[in-house]
Structures are given as C-alpha cells and as structure tokens.
Amino acid sequence: LQGDYGLKIARQDYFISKQEEVIAQLLKQRARNEFLLTALEVEGRSHRETRRLLMALRKDLDKAVVATQDRMAILQAPAYTTSRTARATIDSRDNFTLRLHNIIVGSPCEDHDRKQPLFRTYASLEDGARGLNHDLRTLQAGLVDSSSVKDDKLTQLETSVQDLGAAVYDRATPGTGPPTLGPKVVLDSMVKLDLTLRDLEASLMDTLKDINKKKKELQNDPNLVKERHLYVDFFTAPDRLQDTTDDLNARVQAAQIS
C-alpha cells in the first residue's frame, strides 16, 4: 500500500509538473500574442499617419495643378501672346486692352453723335493716354494756382479781421467793459435764450429726480415691478401677457382648490 501510494504521488507530481510546463508555454504564447498585437497597432498607426500625409499631399498637388492650369489659361490670352507681325488694331479677344481703351479713350456708347471707328487701334489708345497725361498736368497746374490764390485770400481775410478788431476796440470807451458788437435786440434774445436754457436745465434735473425716485420705488416694491412688466407686455408682447394671465388664473384656481 505504501508503494502504491508513493507511485500515485509520483504520478501526481509528474502531472503537476507537466501542467506547469503547459501553463508556462501558454503564458509565453499569450505574451507573444500581446506583443504582436501592440506591434500591429503601432504599425497600423504609422500606416494611418502615412495615409493622412499622402492625402494632404494629394490635395496640395491637385491645388497646384488647378493653379497651373489657370496660369496657363491666362498666359494663352491674346494680351500675352506675341505675334511676328505687329498689329495696328486691338484684338477683339483681348479684353484687358479693350477695357483699358474704353477707360482712356471712351466707350462707343458714351457719345452717339461722334462717328465711331470700326476697329480700335493702339494709336488711338496712345493718343488717349497722351491726352490724359496733358489733362493731368493742366489740372495739377490749376491746383497750384488755386492754392496760391486761396493763400492770398486767407491772408487778406486775416488782415481785414485784424483791422476790424482794432477799429472796434479802439472806439470802446475805457471802463465800460468790452464793446457792444451787436444791436440790443440780439442781446435781449441772447438773454432770453440763456434764461430758457436755465429753465430747461432745471426741468431736466427735476425729471431725473423723478426718474430716480421711481426707480427706488420699483426696487423696494416687487408688485410695482410686476405691474410695470404687465404694462409693457400689454403694448409689446400680448402673447406673453396672455401666458402670464393664464398662469395667474391657474395659481388662483389651485389656491382655491387647496
């Protein structure tokens, strides 16, 4: 019996050792699996970042292609193309030069009485530019002359004002204060205006006192505040006034029931 039990114990220890080996292998396999999953997640994140950069690069390239196509379309315009033979007339497809011609020389629709040429030429554009330059110089010269005349007028006005002040104050008798520079009617009107302004200032102060008094009453009495809100709602928000009335009726009915 002792040998039989010893054999069983030995077998049990053997099985336990094998189970521990299997458990260790399973733990190692699990660790490998988690490590591979972590590496896969890191690699996937790197791939996603690379894809994001590639998509941004693709958008930038698309924008660059569109901008290049726009520049090529602009460069293909007749205004930027060079021809072997110089043209005297402006190409009908050259919108920029045509608009410049309309601005400097004038649009065909502006003057119906003048006979308009069949084609617009670069010579007429140059003549219009020369005329515009001449008008500019003439206008600048006129401005210089007008500024000099204005300065002379201002000098004369200042001299006249000084002469007038000297004449008025020289005639004033000493000891009577400043001279009277206006008729008595004007002085009376100014006095009345001063009194009216003082009365207006006093009435404004009374109004402000009344407003402050009413504000204090509103702050101390909540019923007046509620009445003021109802008065405002009566003229500006009838719907809100109706809701307030319904709410008060509901409260009154609830108080009667309770």
Side-chain angles (χ1 to χ4, degrees):
L1 289 175
Q2 185 176 0
D4 189 9
Y5 283 122
L7 180 60
K8 289 181 179 180
I9 290 172
R11 287 179 179 177
Q12 188 175 2
D13 293 337
Y14 176 76
F15 290 150
I16 290 172
S17 63
K18 292 296 182 183
Q19 288 177 358
E20 290 178 354
E21 291 179 0
V22 172
I23 291 171
Q25 292 294 330
L26 290 175
L27 290 175
K28 291 180 181 179
Q29 190 67 26
R30 181 181 178 183
R32 294 190 187 96
N33 188 16
E34 290 180 356
F35 178 75
L36 291 175
L37 289 176
T38 304
L40 181 62
E41 181 66 24
V42 172
E43 188 175 359
R45 186 177 299 174
S46 177
H47 285 307
R48 288 193 294 270
E49 184 67 20
T50 304
R51 183 178 180 277
R52 186 182 65 81
L53 293 175
L54 290 175
M55 293 299 293
L57 181 60
R58 181 180 178 181
K59 290 181 180 179
D60 292 339
L61 289 175
D62 292 338
K63 291 180 181 178
V65 169
V66 173
T68 304
Q69 291 176 355
D70 294 338
R71 286 195 293 270
M72 292 297 295
I74 293 173
L75 291 175
Q76 290 176 359
Y80 299 100
T81 57
T82 57
S83 58
R84 296 181 179 178
T85 58
R87 296 187 54 175
T89 60
I90 301 175
D91 193 351
S92 60
R93 297 172 297 175
D94 191 355
N95 296 322
F96 173 77
T97 308
L98 290 175
R99 288 195 295 268
L100 183 62
H101 188 278
N102 292 334
I103 292 172
I104 296 177
V105 179
S107 177
C109 299
E110 293 179 356
D111 192 358
H112 298 282
D113 298 332
R114 187 179 61 184
K115 185 178 180 181
Q116 299 295 333
L118 183 61
F119 298 102
R120 300 174 189 176
T121 61
Y122 289 101
S124 63
L125 182 60
E126 292 177 357
D127 294 338
R130 294 191 188 95
L132 185 61
N133 190 16
H134 181 267
D135 294 339
L136 178 61
R137 292 180 179 178
T138 304
L139 181 60
Q140 290 177 349
L143 288 175
V144 172
D145 296 337
S146 63
S147 62
S148 61
V149 172
K150 182 179 179 181
D151 294 336
D152 296 338
K153 295 293 184 181
L154 288 175
T155 304
Q156 293 177 3
L157 179 62
E158 185 178 0
T159 304
S160 300
V161 170
Q162 291 177 356
D163 295 339
L164 178 62
V168 170
Y169 280 93
D170 289 341
R171 293 178 183 176
T173 59
T176 59
T180 303
L181 300 179
K184 187 175 183 304
V185 178
V186 177
L187 294 176
D188 295 338
S189 300
M190 292 178 66
V191 172
K192 291 180 181 179
L193 181 61
D194 190 12
L195 295 175
T196 304
L197 290 175
R198 291 180 182 179
D199 295 337
L200 180 60
E201 183 179 1
S203 62
L204 287 175
M205 295 300 295
D206 294 337
T207 305
L208 289 176
K209 290 180 181 179
D210 190 12
I211 291 173
N212 293 327
K213 181 180 178 181
K214 290 182 178 180
K215 285 184 178 179
K216 292 181 180 179
E217 292 178 355
L218 288 174
Q219 291 176 357
N220 297 325
D221 193 353
N223 292 326
L224 291 177
V225 176
K226 191 66 176 179
E227 182 180 355
R228 181 174 177 273
H229 289 169
L230 292 175
Y231 182 77
V232 173
D233 293 340
F234 180 79
F235 290 98
T236 60
D239 296 334
R240 186 165 57 190
L241 179 62
Q242 184 66 33
D243 295 337
T244 306
T245 306
D246 295 339
D247 188 16
L248 292 175
N249 290 329
R251 290 184 181 180
V252 171
Q253 292 178 2
Q256 291 176 357
I257 293 173
S258 61

